[in-house]
Amino acid sequence: NMSGNYAVTATLNSCVSTSLIFDLKVNPSPTLGIQQNQSYCTGTQVPQYIFNSTPPGATISWTNSNPAIGLPANGNGNLPAFTAVNNTSNPTSANITVIPSLNGCIGLPMTYSITINPKPFVSVPPNFSICAGTLVPASSFLSNISGTSFIWTNSNTSIGLPTSGIGNVPSFNAINNTSSIIQTEITVTPTLNGCPGPSSSYTITIK
């Protein structure tokens, strides 16, 4: 807002010079909108992010504090799409610092974080057989990461177990109203921080 035409005069012994007029242009420093912190699951595609500056048209440079997440350490322009990587059992984060420049003026940096959550795995019980009319003990599941939750499905509800559930499979009375051996497959999917891991299955045979 200090841009404009300026007139300068000199005064000496009450004598005033003619005015010297010149144009002064003050370029604004570009700014970037605030970017929210982000979270993704390992193995997923992180979309390209387009930076918008005010005024528009700024040149963008960025740095990444943790290239292990699958993104290069630095770059220019928009943040490219990349495949999220986390080979650990804990969430890992990177700070993305973005600096705009326009007409030789460098704006304030903007920093946000990208967190990559790990993929949980599940260990299920071995296959087992049990006689009809007996109590099937509860099935407990284990994961490589603390805090993992489990969703399970049951392929054959005639054995006395519901179609699905959350957590461990509860104990139930085994049912077989046929003259043959019947089976069911219990499929368990682990989930942590919204990230599903690979499913594992085991079978229960009712004699």
Side-chain angles (χ1 to χ4, degrees):
N1 60 7
M2 295 182 68
S3 298
N5 293 321
Y6 285 76
V8 181
T9 57
T11 302
L12 180 64
N13 298 324
S14 301
C15 299
V16 180
S17 72
T18 58
S19 297
L20 173 66
I21 298 176
F22 64 96
D23 179 63
L24 176 66
K25 182 179 181 181
V26 181
N27 291 317
S29 295
T31 60
L32 294 169
I34 297 175
Q35 167 68 327
Q36 300 297 319
N37 297 334
Q38 303 172 14
S39 295
Y40 297 93
C41 301
T42 184
T44 61
Q45 187 77 358
V46 179
Q48 179 192 43
Y49 186 79
I50 298 175
F51 299 108
N52 294 310
S53 67
T54 303
T59 298
I60 303 295
S61 64
W62 53 265
T63 58
N64 165 29
S65 66
N66 185 7
I69 68 169
L71 181 70
N74 54 71
N76 295 308
N78 296 317
L79 202 73
F82 66 97
T83 301
V85 177
N86 183 353
N87 295 320
T88 74
S89 58
N90 296 298
T92 184
S93 296
N95 289 324
I96 311 300
T97 300
V98 189
I99 300 176
S101 61
L102 183 65
N103 297 321
C105 300
I106 299 176
L108 294 174
M110 182 268 290
T111 300
Y112 67 99
S113 67
I114 298 178
T115 299
I116 310 300
N117 291 309
K119 181 182 294 184
F121 295 88
V122 61
S123 297
V124 299
N127 301 335
F128 65 92
S129 299
I130 200 163
C131 295
T134 59
L135 184 66
V136 180
S139 297
S140 298
F141 310 123
L142 298 175
S143 175
N144 61 319
I145 306 175
S146 177
T148 298
S149 60
F150 308 103
I151 300 173
W152 55 266
T153 59
N154 167 30
S155 65
N156 184 358
T157 57
S158 69
I159 67 166
L161 183 67
T163 304
S164 61
I166 298 175
N168 296 320
V169 173
S171 61
F172 64 97
N173 290 316
I175 297 173
N176 184 351
N177 293 323
T178 73
S179 58
S180 303
I181 293 175
I182 61 173
Q183 286 186 329
T184 190
E185 183 175 56
I186 308 297
T187 301
V188 187
T189 302
T191 303
L192 180 69
N193 295 323
C195 299
S199 299
S200 296
S201 300
Y202 66 101
T203 61
I204 300 174
T205 300
I206 310 297
K207 299 180 288 184

